[in-house]
């Protein structure tokens, strides 16, 4: 009897840990996927977007890494001198859980760096990248 | 039982020092500017830079600034109208020339009546208070900009701007 209990609870634990609970970040990804008409995003493309230099935006912010820093797990620094929490979810687990805040900063930062807003595809790729960091 | 004298001593000294500093600051220091207490204002005005104390500028400055957020010192810092309105009310109600703001009136000394200065760092009183800071210090990589108060005033976020 005891054995059965152990086995059962083991199975339950496995199911629980493997199931992906849809949180605000996953909801955002779902929305971006629907808007971009894609089924998956690429962390590699997200990383490329994060590190690339663009001449479309403001000259003092050519790249995301200008302020966020090259290491996603380290704090960044705004041009004002203010510290920015690391973008990596593993280091700052509270990040990207408020959809309005995520949208607000995509709008501001994409406009600053690229000179235009990011597409749903780019947002999804970037979010996938930092969730995995 | 061994008593950890050293950590204890360090603790006592730290406490005594903090108490001293705090007592001095609370005794009506003219270098105190009440920090932003409103959570929305703190979040929206404090994510790129220090959420500057509303008492550092007159109400008309805040009104003008909040009306030009799309050109906010070179950045587009636009907000949704409802949030912007909430923030404006808070800043105006706590502005340097709002009733009973004793401390900040000093910082506003010399501001032309009716003028709406936008940069705290261009207020005549601010300039004279910082006249002894050498150029290289402003350019230091930990400072970068005159708007980075906390680089030197380590307790700026709590409202204290002593030397």
């Amino acid at each position: 009897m005891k054995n059965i209990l152990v086995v059962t609870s083991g199975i339950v634990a496995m199911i629980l840990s493997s199931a992906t609970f849809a949180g605000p970040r996953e909801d955002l990804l779902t929305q971006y996927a629907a808007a971009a008409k894609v089924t998956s995003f690429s962390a590699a493309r997200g990383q490329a977007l994060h590190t690339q230099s663009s001449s479309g935006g403001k000259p003092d912010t050519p790249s995301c890494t200008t302020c966020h820093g090259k290491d996603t797990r380290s704090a960044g620094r705004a041009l004002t001198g203010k510290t920015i929490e690391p973008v990596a979810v593993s280091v700052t687990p509270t990040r990207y859980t408020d959809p309005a805040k995520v949208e607000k900063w995509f709008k501001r930062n994409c406009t600053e760096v690229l000179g235009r807003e990011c597409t749903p595809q780019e947002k999804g790729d970037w979010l996938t990248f930092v969730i995995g960091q | 039982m061994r008593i950890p004298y050293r950590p204890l001593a360090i603790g006592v000294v730290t406490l005594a020092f903090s108490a001293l500093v705090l007592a001095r600051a609370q005794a009506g220091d003219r270098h105190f500017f009440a920090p932003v207490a409103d959570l929305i204002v703190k979040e929206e005005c404090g994510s790129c830079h220090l959420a500057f104390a509303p008492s550092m500028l007159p109400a008309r400055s805040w009104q003008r600034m909040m009306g030009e957020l799309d050109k906010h010192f070179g950045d587009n810092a636009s907000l949704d109208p409802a949030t912007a309105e909430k923030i404006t009310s808070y800043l105006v109600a706590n502005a340097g020339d709002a009733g009973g703001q004793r401390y900040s009136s000093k910082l506003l000394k010399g501001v032309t009546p009716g003028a709406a200065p936008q940069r705290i760092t261009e207020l005549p009183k601010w300039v004279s208070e910082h006249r002894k800071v050498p150029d290289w210090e402003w350019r230091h990589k930990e400072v970068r900009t005159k708007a980075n108060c906390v680089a030197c005033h380590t307790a700026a976020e709590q409202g204290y701007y002593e030397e």
Side-chain angles (χ1 to χ4, degrees):
Chain A
M1 184 62 199
K2 206 178 168 192
N3 271 343
I4 296 172
L5 255 178
V6 170
V7 171
T8 318
S9 54
I11 292 170
V12 169
M14 273 179 348
I15 293 171
L16 277 178
S17 61
S18 63
T20 45
F21 295 101
R25 283 188 285 257
E26 288 69 27
D27 289 347
L28 266 169
L29 285 176
T30 310
Q31 285 171 34
Y32 292 145
K37 298 190 176 70
V38 294
T39 50
S40 67
F41 290 113
S42 150
R45 269 200 310 264
Q47 180 166 27
L49 175 70
H50 189 67
T51 51
Q52 77 180 15
S53 262
S54 157
S55 53
K58 289 174 60 182
D60 52 352
T61 52
S63 164
C64 305
T65 55
T66 308
C67 295
H68 289 292
K70 288 199 176 96
D71 180 4
T72 53
R73 296 185 184 91
S74 302
R77 200 160 192 213
L79 295 182
T80 56
K82 190 161 174 111
T83 304
I84 307 172
E85 288 188 320
V87 290
V89 169
S90 64
V91 190
T92 323
T94 50
R95 268 197 178 270
Y96 324 116
T97 50
D98 175 355
K101 196 170 168 181
V102 173
E103 275 296 295
K104 175 182 129 182
W105 286 104
F106 265 135
K107 188 175 176 185
R108 279 195 186 168
N109 293 349
C110 292
T111 310
E112 293 234 326
V113 173
L114 304 171
R116 59 167 174 83
E117 287 193 35
C118 283
T119 63
Q121 171 86 60
E122 287 170 327
K123 291 177 188 175
D125 287 341
W126 189 87
L127 198 54
T128 305
F129 165 59
V130 289
I131 286 173
Q133 284 291 296
Chain B
M1 191 192 129
R2 279 180 54 200
I3 301 168
Y5 284 111
R6 260 177 71 163
L8 264 178
I10 293 171
V12 167
V13 168
T14 313
L15 264 175
F17 182 73
S18 317
L20 201 84
V21 170
L22 214 74
R24 220 180 57 129
Q26 284 184 332
D29 201 294
R30 67 195 179 94
H31 290 117
F32 178 75
F33 295 87
V36 170
D38 183 285
L39 285 180
I40 294 175
V41 179
K42 217 169 175 173
E43 163 79 20
E44 298 298 340
C45 307
S47 39
C48 299
H49 52 68
L50 169 73
F52 298 110
S55 61
M56 289 182 167
L57 287 174
R60 49 186 186 273
S61 292
W62 293 122
Q63 276 157 338
R64 186 178 142 199
M65 195 177 296
M66 291 303 293
E68 303 173 343
L69 275 186
D70 57 328
K71 294 181 284 286
H72 188 65
F73 303 98
D75 282 330
N76 185 344
S78 301
L79 292 167
D80 65 273
T83 309
E85 204 180 302
K86 264 188 227 157
I87 295 173
T88 309
S89 323
Y90 179 84
L91 295 173
V92 166
N94 295 282
D97 56 349
Q101 296 284 335
R102 197 172 126 242
Y103 300 117
S104 59
S105 58
K106 294 229 178 204
L107 190 59
L108 297 188
K109 209 175 148 209
V111 173
T112 318
Q118 297 294 288
R119 284 181 196 273
I120 295 163
T121 56
E122 286 174 4
L123 298 174
K125 187 67 186 165
W126 189 98
V127 173
S128 70
E129 286 278 327
H130 295 82
R131 66 189 182 280
K132 286 181 192 152
V133 181
D135 214 40
W136 66 264
E137 250 181 283
W138 292 122
R139 287 198 309 263
H140 190 279
K141 69 176 173 56
E142 294 300 321
V143 182
R144 295 186 190 204
T145 149
K146 288 180 180 171
N148 190 8
C149 310
V150 286
C152 304
H153 304 286
T154 49
E157 290 192 53
Q158 287 77 46
Y160 302 110
Y161 291 81
E162 281 88 29
E163 256 64 31

